[in-house]
Amino acid sequence: MTAIRDNKAQNRFELDVDGAVAFANYRATPAAIIITHTETPRALRGRGIASELIKGALELIRADGRKVIAGCGFVVDYLRRNPEFADLT
């Protein structure tokens, strides 16, 4: 897998895998990133790709000094399962 990138033009974090793109849409505020939707192409599902995408997105958000607001159920569940990101909420 390649690194997670912040596609600011489309307001989404992206991860390229096997010629497809998994992504997490967001809205930015001065203090936080609101992740509104996470999508993994059907052919890539069940391989942990969405988790890898969100982990990388959270690391980028942390590096930028912002907080995260989970506006999508997948991110809510990910944050619940990964307390090492509790400082971002």
Side-chain angles (χ1 to χ4, degrees):
M1 280 188 234
T2 58
I4 308 307
R5 69 180 169 278
D6 183 357
N7 182 338
K8 293 180 190 308
Q10 291 190 316
N11 290 322
R12 68 186 201 175
F13 295 103
E14 299 175 335
L15 175 60
D16 294 316
V17 181
D18 298 340
V21 179
F23 62 89
N25 292 334
Y26 67 80
R27 289 193 324 263
T29 72
I33 298 292
I34 305 162
I35 300 177
T36 59
H37 176 72
T38 303
E39 188 166 320
T40 304
R42 187 172 305 281
L44 302 178
R45 292 180 187 166
R47 295 172 42 189
I49 297 203
S51 292
E52 188 67 25
L53 169 66
I54 295 305
K55 178 182 179 196
L58 294 173
E59 289 169 350
L60 289 173
I61 292 166
R62 179 183 279 148
D64 198 32
R66 292 187 181 180
K67 297 290 186 180
V68 68
I69 298 171
C72 122
F74 185 84
V75 177
V76 170
D77 290 341
Y78 185 90
L79 289 168
R80 189 177 305 126
R81 290 188 321 266
N82 294 276
E84 66 269 26
F85 292 107
D87 62 302
L88 296 179
T89 60

Coordinates of all heavy atoms in Angstrom, one line a residue:
M1 N 0.8 -1.2 0.0 CA 0.0 0.0 0.0 C 0.9 1.2 0.0 O 2.0 1.2 0.5 CB -0.9 0.0 1.2 CG -2.1 -0.9 1.1 SD -3.2 -0.7 2.5 CE -3.4 -2.4 2.9
T2 N 0.3 2.3 -0.5 CA 1.1 3.6 -0.6 C 0.6 4.4 0.6 O -0.3 4.1 1.3 CB 0.8 4.3 -1.9 OG1 -0.6 4.5 -2.0 CG2 1.3 3.5 -3.1
A3 N 1.2 5.5 0.8 CA 0.9 6.4 1.9 C -0.5 7.1 1.6 O -0.9 7.3 0.5 CB 2.0 7.5 2.0
I4 N -1.1 7.5 2.8 CA -2.3 8.2 2.7 C -2.0 9.6 2.3 O -1.0 10.2 2.7 CB -2.9 8.3 4.1 CG1 -3.0 6.9 4.8 CG2 -4.3 9.0 4.1 CD1 -3.7 5.9 4.0
R5 N -2.8 10.2 1.4 CA -2.6 11.6 1.0 C -3.8 12.4 1.3 O -5.0 11.9 1.2 CB -2.2 11.7 -0.5 CG -3.3 11.3 -1.5 CD -2.8 11.4 -2.9 NE -3.8 10.9 -3.8 CZ -3.9 9.6 -4.1 NH1 -3.0 8.7 -3.5 NH2 -4.8 9.1 -4.9
D6 N -3.6 13.7 1.5 CA -4.7 14.6 1.8 C -4.9 15.3 0.4 O -4.2 16.2 0.0 CB -4.3 15.6 2.9 CG -5.4 16.6 3.2 OD1 -6.5 16.5 2.5 OD2 -5.2 17.4 4.1
N7 N -6.0 15.0 -0.2 CA -6.4 15.6 -1.5 C -7.3 16.8 -1.1 O -8.5 16.8 -1.0 CB -7.2 14.6 -2.4 CG -7.6 15.2 -3.7 OD1 -7.6 16.4 -3.9 ND2 -7.8 14.4 -4.7
K8 N -6.6 17.9 -0.9 CA -7.3 19.2 -0.4 C -8.3 19.7 -1.4 O -9.3 20.3 -1.1 CB -6.3 20.2 0.0 CG -5.4 19.9 1.2 CD -4.5 21.0 1.5 CE -3.4 20.6 2.6 NZ -3.9 20.1 3.8
A9 N -8.0 19.5 -2.7 CA -8.9 20.0 -3.8 C -10.2 19.3 -3.7 O -11.3 19.9 -4.1 CB -8.2 19.7 -5.2
Q10 N -10.3 18.0 -3.3 CA -11.5 17.3 -3.2 C -12.0 17.0 -1.8 O -13.0 16.4 -1.5 CB -11.4 15.9 -3.9 CG -11.3 16.1 -5.4 CD -11.4 14.8 -6.1 OE1 -10.8 13.8 -5.7 NE2 -12.2 14.8 -7.2
N11 N -11.2 17.6 -0.8 CA -11.6 17.5 0.6 C -11.7 16.0 1.0 O -12.8 15.6 1.6 CB -12.9 18.3 1.0 CG -12.6 19.8 0.9 OD1 -11.6 20.2 1.3 ND2 -13.6 20.5 0.5
R12 N -10.7 15.3 0.7 CA -10.7 13.9 1.1 C -9.3 13.3 1.3 O -8.4 13.7 0.6 CB -11.5 13.0 0.2 CG -10.9 12.8 -1.2 CD -11.9 12.1 -2.1 NE -11.2 11.5 -3.3 CZ -11.8 10.8 -4.2 NH1 -13.1 10.5 -4.0 NH2 -11.1 10.2 -5.1
F13 N -9.2 12.3 2.2 CA -8.0 11.6 2.4 C -8.1 10.4 1.4 O -9.2 9.8 1.3 CB -7.8 11.1 3.8 CG -7.7 12.2 4.8 CD1 -8.7 12.6 5.6 CD2 -6.4 12.9 4.9 CE1 -8.5 13.7 6.5 CE2 -6.3 13.9 5.8 CZ -7.3 14.3 6.6
E14 N -7.0 10.0 0.8 CA -7.1 8.9 -0.2 C -6.0 7.9 0.0 O -4.9 8.2 0.5 CB -6.9 9.5 -1.6 CG -8.0 10.5 -2.0 CD -7.7 11.2 -3.3 OE1 -6.5 11.2 -3.8 OE2 -8.7 11.6 -3.9
L15 N -6.3 6.7 -0.4 CA -5.3 5.6 -0.3 C -5.5 4.8 -1.6 O -6.6 4.2 -1.9 CB -5.5 4.7 0.9 CG -4.7 3.4 1.1 CD1 -3.2 3.8 1.1 CD2 -5.1 2.6 2.3
D16 N -4.4 4.7 -2.4 CA -4.4 3.9 -3.6 C -4.1 2.4 -3.3 O -3.1 2.2 -2.6 CB -3.4 4.4 -4.6 CG -3.7 5.8 -5.1 OD1 -4.9 6.0 -5.4 OD2 -2.8 6.6 -5.2
V17 N -4.9 1.5 -3.7 CA -4.7 0.1 -3.5 C -5.1 -0.7 -4.8 O -6.3 -0.6 -5.2 CB -5.5 -0.5 -2.3 CG1 -5.2 -2.0 -2.1 CG2 -5.2 0.3 -1.1
D18 N -4.2 -1.4 -5.4 CA -4.5 -2.3 -6.5 C -5.3 -1.5 -7.6 O -6.3 -2.1 -8.2 CB -5.3 -3.5 -6.1 CG -4.5 -4.4 -5.1 OD1 -3.3 -4.3 -5.1 OD2 -5.2 -5.2 -4.4
G19 N -4.9 -0.3 -7.9 CA -5.5 0.4 -9.0 C -6.8 1.1 -8.7 O -7.5 1.7 -9.5
A20 N -7.2 1.0 -7.4 CA -8.5 1.6 -6.9 C -8.1 2.6 -5.8 O -7.0 2.6 -5.3 CB -9.5 0.6 -6.5
V21 N -9.1 3.4 -5.5 CA -8.9 4.5 -4.4 C -9.9 4.3 -3.3 O -11.2 4.4 -3.6 CB -9.0 5.9 -5.0 CG1 -8.8 6.9 -3.9 CG2 -7.9 6.1 -6.1
A22 N -9.5 4.1 -2.1 CA -10.3 4.2 -0.9 C -10.2 5.7 -0.5 O -9.1 6.3 -0.5 CB -9.9 3.3 0.1
F23 N -11.3 6.2 0.1 CA -11.2 7.6 0.5 C -12.1 7.9 1.7 O -13.1 7.2 1.9 CB -11.6 8.6 -0.7 CG -13.0 8.4 -1.2 CD1 -14.0 9.1 -0.7 CD2 -13.2 7.5 -2.3 CE1 -15.3 9.0 -1.2 CE2 -14.5 7.4 -2.8 CZ -15.5 8.1 -2.2
A24 N -11.8 9.0 2.3 CA -12.6 9.5 3.4 C -12.8 11.0 3.2 O -11.9 11.8 3.2 CB -11.9 9.3 4.8
N25 N -14.1 11.4 2.9 CA -14.4 12.8 2.7 C -14.4 13.5 4.0 O -14.7 12.9 5.1 CB -15.9 12.9 2.1 CG -16.0 12.3 0.7 OD1 -15.0 12.3 0.0 ND2 -17.1 11.9 0.4
Y26 N -14.1 14.8 4.0 CA -14.1 15.6 5.2 C -14.4 17.0 4.9 O -14.4 17.5 3.8 CB -12.7 15.5 5.9 CG -11.6 16.2 5.1 CD1 -11.4 17.6 5.1 CD2 -10.7 15.5 4.3 CE1 -10.3 18.2 4.4 CE2 -9.6 16.0 3.6 CZ -9.5 17.4 3.7 OH -8.4 18.0 3.0
R27 N -14.8 17.7 6.0 CA -14.9 19.2 6.0 C -13.9 19.7 7.0 O -13.8 19.1 8.1 CB -16.4 19.6 6.4 CG -17.4 19.3 5.4 CD -18.8 19.9 5.6 NE -19.1 20.0 7.0 CZ -20.0 19.2 7.7 NH1 -20.4 18.1 7.1 NH2 -20.3 19.4 8.9
A28 N -13.3 20.8 6.7 CA -12.3 21.3 7.5 C -12.8 22.6 8.2 O -13.5 23.4 7.6 CB -11.0 21.7 6.7
T29 N -12.4 22.7 9.5 CA -12.6 24.0 10.2 C -11.3 24.4 10.7 O -10.3 23.6 10.6 CB -13.6 23.7 11.5 OG1 -12.9 23.0 12.5 CG2 -14.9 23.0 11.1
P30 N -11.1 25.6 11.3 CA -9.8 26.0 11.7 C -9.2 25.0 12.8 O -8.0 24.9 12.9 CB -10.0 27.4 12.3 CG -11.2 27.9 11.5 CD -12.1 26.7 11.3
A31 N -10.1 24.4 13.6 CA -9.6 23.6 14.7 C -9.7 22.1 14.5 O -9.1 21.3 15.2 CB -10.3 24.0 16.0
A32 N -10.6 21.7 13.6 CA -10.9 20.3 13.4 C -11.2 19.9 12.0 O -11.5 20.7 11.1 CB -12.1 19.9 14.3
I33 N -11.0 18.6 11.8 CA -11.4 17.9 10.5 C -12.6 17.0 10.9 O -12.6 16.2 11.8 CB -10.3 17.1 10.0 CG1 -9.0 17.9 9.7 CG2 -10.7 16.3 8.7 CD1 -9.2 18.9 8.5
I34 N -13.7 17.2 10.1 CA -14.9 16.5 10.3 C -14.9 15.4 9.2 O -15.1 15.8 8.0 CB -16.2 17.3 10.2 CG1 -16.1 18.5 11.2 CG2 -17.4 16.5 10.5 CD1 -17.0 19.6 10.9
I35 N -14.7 14.1 9.5 CA -14.7 13.1 8.5 C -16.2 12.7 8.4 O -16.8 12.2 9.3 CB -13.9 11.9 8.9 CG1 -12.4 12.4 9.1 CG2 -14.0 10.8 7.9 CD1 -11.4 11.3 9.5
T36 N -16.7 12.9 7.2 CA -18.2 12.7 6.9 C -18.5 11.4 6.3 O -19.7 11.0 6.3 CB -18.7 13.9 6.1 OG1 -18.0 13.9 4.8 CG2 -18.5 15.2 6.8
H37 N -17.6 10.8 5.6 CA -17.9 9.5 4.8 C -16.7 8.8 4.5 O -15.7 9.4 4.1 CB -18.7 9.9 3.6 CG -19.0 8.7 2.7 ND1 -19.9 7.8 3.0 CD2 -18.5 8.3 1.5 CE1 -20.0 6.9 2.0 NE2 -19.1 7.2 1.1
T38 N -16.7 7.5 4.7 CA -15.5 6.7 4.3 C -16.0 5.6 3.3 O -17.1 5.0 3.5 CB -15.0 5.9 5.6 OG1 -14.6 6.9 6.5 CG2 -13.8 5.1 5.2
E39 N -15.3 5.5 2.2 CA -15.7 4.5 1.2 C -14.5 3.7 0.7 O -13.4 4.3 0.4 CB -16.3 5.3 0.0 CG -16.9 4.3 -1.0 CD -17.8 5.1 -1.9 OE1 -18.6 6.0 -1.5 OE2 -17.8 4.7 -3.1
T40 N -14.7 2.4 0.6 CA -13.7 1.5 0.1 C -14.4 0.8 -1.1 O -15.5 0.3 -1.0 CB -13.3 0.4 1.1 OG1 -12.8 1.1 2.3 CG2 -12.2 -0.5 0.6
P41 N -13.7 0.7 -2.3 CA -14.3 0.0 -3.4 C -14.6 -1.4 -3.0 O -13.9 -2.1 -2.3 CB -13.2 0.1 -4.5 CG -12.4 1.3 -4.1 CD -12.4 1.4 -2.6
R42 N -15.7 -1.9 -3.6 CA -16.2 -3.3 -3.2 C -15.1 -4.3 -3.3 O -15.0 -5.2 -2.5 CB -17.4 -3.6 -4.1 CG -18.1 -4.9 -3.7 CD -19.3 -5.2 -4.5 NE -20.3 -4.1 -4.4 CZ -21.1 -3.9 -3.4 NH1 -21.1 -4.6 -2.4 NH2 -22.0 -2.9 -3.4
A43 N -14.3 -4.3 -4.4 CA -13.3 -5.3 -4.6 C -12.2 -5.3 -3.5 O -11.5 -6.2 -3.3 CB -12.6 -5.1 -5.9
L44 N -12.1 -4.2 -2.7 CA -11.1 -4.1 -1.7 C -11.6 -4.3 -0.3 O -10.8 -4.4 0.7 CB -10.5 -2.7 -1.7 CG -9.8 -2.2 -3.0 CD1 -9.3 -0.8 -2.9 CD2 -8.7 -3.2 -3.4
R45 N -12.9 -4.5 -0.1 CA -13.5 -4.6 1.2 C -13.1 -5.9 1.9 O -12.8 -6.9 1.3 CB -15.0 -4.6 1.1 CG -15.5 -3.2 0.7 CD -16.9 -3.0 0.6 NE -17.2 -1.7 0.0 CZ -18.4 -1.4 -0.5 NH1 -19.4 -2.2 -0.5 NH2 -18.6 -0.2 -1.0
G46 N -13.0 -5.9 3.2 CA -12.7 -7.0 4.0 C -11.2 -7.2 4.2 O -10.8 -8.3 4.7
R47 N -10.4 -6.3 3.8 CA -8.9 -6.4 3.8 C -8.3 -5.4 4.8 O -7.1 -5.3 4.9 CB -8.3 -6.2 2.4 CG -8.8 -7.3 1.5 CD -8.4 -7.1 0.0 NE -7.0 -6.6 -0.1 CZ -6.5 -6.1 -1.3 NH1 -7.3 -6.2 -2.4 NH2 -5.3 -5.7 -1.4
G48 N -9.1 -4.7 5.6 CA -8.6 -3.7 6.5 C -8.1 -2.4 5.9 O -7.4 -1.6 6.5
I49 N -8.5 -2.2 4.7 CA -8.1 -1.0 3.9 C -8.7 0.3 4.5 O -8.0 1.3 4.7 CB -8.4 -1.1 2.4 CG1 -7.6 -2.3 2.0 CG2 -8.1 0.2 1.7 CD1 -7.1 -2.6 0.7
A50 N -10.0 0.2 4.9 CA -10.6 1.4 5.5 C -9.9 1.8 6.8 O -9.7 2.9 7.1 CB -12.1 1.2 5.7
S51 N -9.6 0.8 7.6 CA -8.9 1.0 8.8 C -7.5 1.6 8.6 O -7.1 2.6 9.3 CB -8.7 -0.3 9.6 OG -10.0 -0.7 10.1
E52 N -6.8 1.1 7.6 CA -5.5 1.7 7.3 C -5.6 3.2 6.8 O -4.9 4.0 7.2 CB -4.8 0.9 6.2 CG -3.4 1.3 5.9 CD -2.4 1.0 7.0 OE1 -2.7 0.1 7.8 OE2 -1.4 1.7 7.1
L53 N -6.7 3.4 6.0 CA -7.0 4.8 5.6 C -7.2 5.7 6.7 O -6.7 6.8 6.8 CB -8.2 4.8 4.6 CG -8.8 6.1 4.2 CD1 -7.8 6.9 3.4 CD2 -10.1 5.9 3.5
I54 N -8.1 5.3 7.6 CA -8.5 6.2 8.8 C -7.3 6.4 9.7 O -7.0 7.5 10.2 CB -9.7 5.6 9.5 CG1 -10.9 5.7 8.6 CG2 -10.0 6.4 10.8 CD1 -11.2 7.1 7.9
K55 N -6.5 5.3 9.9 CA -5.3 5.5 10.8 C -4.4 6.5 10.2 O -3.9 7.4 10.9 CB -4.6 4.1 10.9 CG -3.3 4.2 11.7 CD -2.6 2.9 11.8 CE -1.3 3.1 12.6 NZ -0.4 2.0 12.4
G56 N -4.1 6.4 8.9 CA -3.3 7.4 8.2 C -3.8 8.8 8.3 O -3.1 9.8 8.5
A57 N -5.1 8.9 8.1 CA -5.8 10.2 8.1 C -5.7 10.8 9.5 O -5.4 12.0 9.6 CB -7.3 10.1 7.7
L58 N -5.9 10.0 10.5 CA -5.8 10.5 11.9 C -4.3 11.0 12.2 O -4.1 12.0 12.9 CB -6.2 9.5 12.9 CG -7.7 9.1 12.8 CD1 -8.1 8.0 13.7 CD2 -8.6 10.3 13.2
E59 N -3.4 10.3 11.7 CA -2.0 10.7 11.9 C -1.7 12.0 11.2 O -1.0 12.9 11.8 CB -1.0 9.6 11.4 CG -1.1 8.3 12.3 CD -0.4 7.1 11.7 OE1 0.0 7.1 10.5 OE2 -0.2 6.2 12.5
L60 N -2.2 12.2 10.0 CA -2.1 13.5 9.3 C -2.8 14.6 10.1 O -2.2 15.7 10.2 CB -2.6 13.4 7.9 CG -1.8 12.6 6.9 CD1 -2.6 12.4 5.6 CD2 -0.4 13.2 6.7
I61 N -4.0 14.3 10.6 CA -4.7 15.3 11.4 C -3.9 15.7 12.6 O -3.8 16.9 13.0 CB -6.1 14.8 11.7 CG1 -6.9 14.7 10.4 CG2 -6.8 15.7 12.8 CD1 -8.2 13.9 10.6
R62 N -3.4 14.7 13.3 CA -2.6 15.0 14.5 C -1.3 15.8 14.2 O -1.0 16.8 14.9 CB -2.1 13.6 15.1 CG -1.3 13.8 16.4 CD -0.8 12.5 16.9 NE -1.9 11.9 17.7 CZ -2.1 10.6 17.9 NH1 -1.3 9.7 17.2 NH2 -3.0 10.1 18.6
A63 N -0.7 15.5 13.1 CA 0.5 16.2 12.7 C 0.2 17.7 12.4 O 1.1 18.5 12.5 CB 1.2 15.5 11.5
D64 N -1.0 17.9 11.9 CA -1.4 19.3 11.6 C -1.9 20.0 12.8 O -2.3 21.2 12.7 CB -2.6 19.2 10.5 CG -2.8 20.5 9.8 OD1 -1.8 21.2 9.6 OD2 -3.9 20.8 9.4
G65 N -2.0 19.4 14.0 CA -2.4 20.0 15.2 C -3.9 20.3 15.3 O -4.3 21.1 16.1
R66 N -4.6 19.5 14.6 CA -6.1 19.6 14.7 C -6.7 18.5 15.4 O -6.1 17.5 15.7 CB -6.7 19.7 13.3 CG -6.3 20.9 12.5 CD -7.1 21.0 11.2 NE -6.7 22.2 10.5 CZ -7.2 22.4 9.3 NH1 -8.1 21.7 8.8 NH2 -6.9 23.5 8.7
K67 N -8.0 18.6 15.7 CA -8.8 17.6 16.3 C -9.6 16.9 15.2 O -9.7 17.4 14.1 CB -9.8 18.2 17.4 CG -9.1 18.8 18.5 CD -8.4 17.8 19.4 CE -7.9 18.4 20.6 NZ -7.2 17.5 21.5
V68 N -10.3 15.8 15.5 CA -11.1 15.1 14.6 C -12.6 15.0 15.1 O -12.7 14.9 16.3 CB -10.6 13.7 14.2 CG1 -10.7 12.8 15.4 CG2 -11.3 13.2 13.0
I69 N -13.5 15.2 14.3 CA -14.9 15.0 14.6 C -15.4 13.8 13.7 O -15.3 13.9 12.5 CB -15.8 16.2 14.4 CG1 -15.2 17.3 15.4 CG2 -17.2 15.9 14.7 CD1 -15.8 18.7 15.1
A70 N -15.9 12.8 14.3 CA -16.3 11.6 13.6 C -17.8 11.8 13.1 O -18.7 11.8 13.9 CB -16.2 10.3 14.4
G71 N -17.9 12.1 11.8 CA -19.3 12.3 11.3 C -19.7 11.1 10.5 O -20.7 11.1 9.7
C72 N -19.0 10.0 10.6 CA -19.4 8.7 9.9 C -19.2 7.6 10.9 O -18.3 7.6 11.7 CB -18.5 8.6 8.7 SG -17.5 7.2 8.4
G73 N -20.1 6.6 10.8 CA -20.1 5.5 11.7 C -18.8 4.7 11.8 O -18.4 4.3 12.8
F74 N -18.2 4.5 10.6 CA -16.9 3.8 10.6 C -15.9 4.5 11.5 O -15.1 3.8 12.2 CB -16.4 3.6 9.2 CG -15.2 2.7 9.1 CD1 -15.3 1.4 9.1 CD2 -13.9 3.3 9.2 CE1 -14.2 0.6 9.1 CE2 -12.8 2.5 9.1 CZ -12.9 1.1 9.1
V75 N -15.8 5.8 11.4 CA -14.8 6.5 12.2 C -15.1 6.5 13.7 O -14.2 6.3 14.5 CB -14.6 8.0 11.6 CG1 -13.6 8.8 12.5 CG2 -14.2 8.0 10.2
V76 N -16.4 6.6 14.0 CA -16.8 6.4 15.4 C -16.3 5.1 15.9 O -15.7 5.0 17.0 CB -18.3 6.6 15.5 CG1 -18.8 6.2 16.9 CG2 -18.8 8.0 15.2
D77 N -16.6 4.0 15.2 CA -16.1 2.7 15.6 C -14.6 2.6 15.7 O -14.1 2.0 16.6 CB -16.7 1.6 14.7 CG -18.2 1.5 14.8 OD1 -18.8 1.9 15.9 OD2 -18.8 0.9 13.9
Y78 N -13.9 3.1 14.7 CA -12.5 3.1 14.7 C -11.9 3.8 15.9 O -11.0 3.2 16.6 CB -11.9 3.7 13.4 CG -10.4 3.5 13.3 CD1 -9.9 2.4 12.7 CD2 -9.5 4.5 13.9 CE1 -8.5 2.2 12.7 CE2 -8.2 4.3 13.8 CZ -7.6 3.2 13.2 OH -6.3 3.0 13.2
L79 N -12.4 4.9 16.3 CA -11.9 5.7 17.4 C -12.2 4.9 18.7 O -11.4 4.9 19.6 CB -12.5 7.1 17.5 CG -12.0 8.0 16.4 CD1 -12.9 9.3 16.3 CD2 -10.5 8.4 16.6
R80 N -13.3 4.3 18.8 CA -13.7 3.5 20.0 C -12.7 2.3 20.1 O -12.3 2.0 21.2 CB -15.1 3.0 19.8 CG -15.7 2.3 21.1 CD -17.1 1.9 21.0 NE -18.0 3.0 20.6 CZ -18.8 3.0 19.5 NH1 -18.9 1.9 18.8 NH2 -19.5 4.0 19.2
R81 N -12.3 1.7 19.0 CA -11.4 0.5 19.1 C -9.9 0.9 19.2 O -9.1 0.0 19.4 CB -11.6 -0.3 17.8 CG -12.9 -1.1 17.7 CD -12.9 -2.0 16.5 NE -12.3 -1.5 15.3 CZ -12.9 -0.9 14.3 NH1 -14.2 -0.7 14.4 NH2 -12.2 -0.5 13.3
N82 N -9.6 2.2 19.0 CA -8.2 2.6 19.0 C -8.0 3.8 19.9 O -7.9 4.9 19.4 CB -7.8 2.9 17.5 CG -7.8 1.7 16.6 OD1 -6.8 0.9 16.6 ND2 -8.9 1.5 16.0
P83 N -7.9 3.5 21.2 CA -7.8 4.6 22.2 C -6.5 5.5 22.0 O -6.4 6.6 22.6 CB -7.9 3.9 23.5 CG -7.5 2.5 23.2 CD -7.9 2.2 21.8
E84 N -5.6 5.0 21.3 CA -4.3 5.8 21.1 C -4.6 7.1 20.3 O -3.8 8.0 20.3 CB -3.2 5.0 20.3 CG -3.6 4.6 18.9 CD -4.3 3.3 18.8 OE1 -4.9 2.8 19.7 OE2 -4.1 2.7 17.7
F85 N -5.8 7.2 19.7 CA -6.2 8.5 19.1 C -7.2 9.3 19.9 O -7.7 10.3 19.4 CB -6.8 8.2 17.7 CG -5.8 7.6 16.7 CD1 -5.8 6.3 16.4 CD2 -4.8 8.4 16.2 CE1 -4.9 5.8 15.5 CE2 -3.9 7.9 15.3 CZ -3.9 6.6 14.9
A86 N -7.4 9.0 21.1 CA -8.3 9.7 22.0 C -8.0 11.2 22.1 O -8.8 12.0 22.3 CB -8.4 9.0 23.4
D87 N -6.7 11.5 22.0 CA -6.3 12.9 22.1 C -6.8 13.8 21.0 O -6.8 15.0 21.1 CB -4.7 13.0 22.2 CG -4.1 12.5 20.9 OD1 -4.3 11.3 20.5 OD2 -3.4 13.3 20.2
L88 N -7.3 13.2 19.9 CA -7.8 13.9 18.8 C -9.3 14.3 18.9 O -9.8 15.1 18.1 CB -7.6 13.1 17.5 CG -6.1 12.9 17.1 CD1 -6.1 12.1 15.8 CD2 -5.4 14.2 17.0
T89 N -10.0 13.7 19.9 CA -11.4 14.0 20.0 C -11.7 15.0 21.0 O -10.9 15.4 21.8 CB -12.2 12.7 20.3 OG1 -11.7 12.1 21.5 CG2 -12.0 11.7 19.2

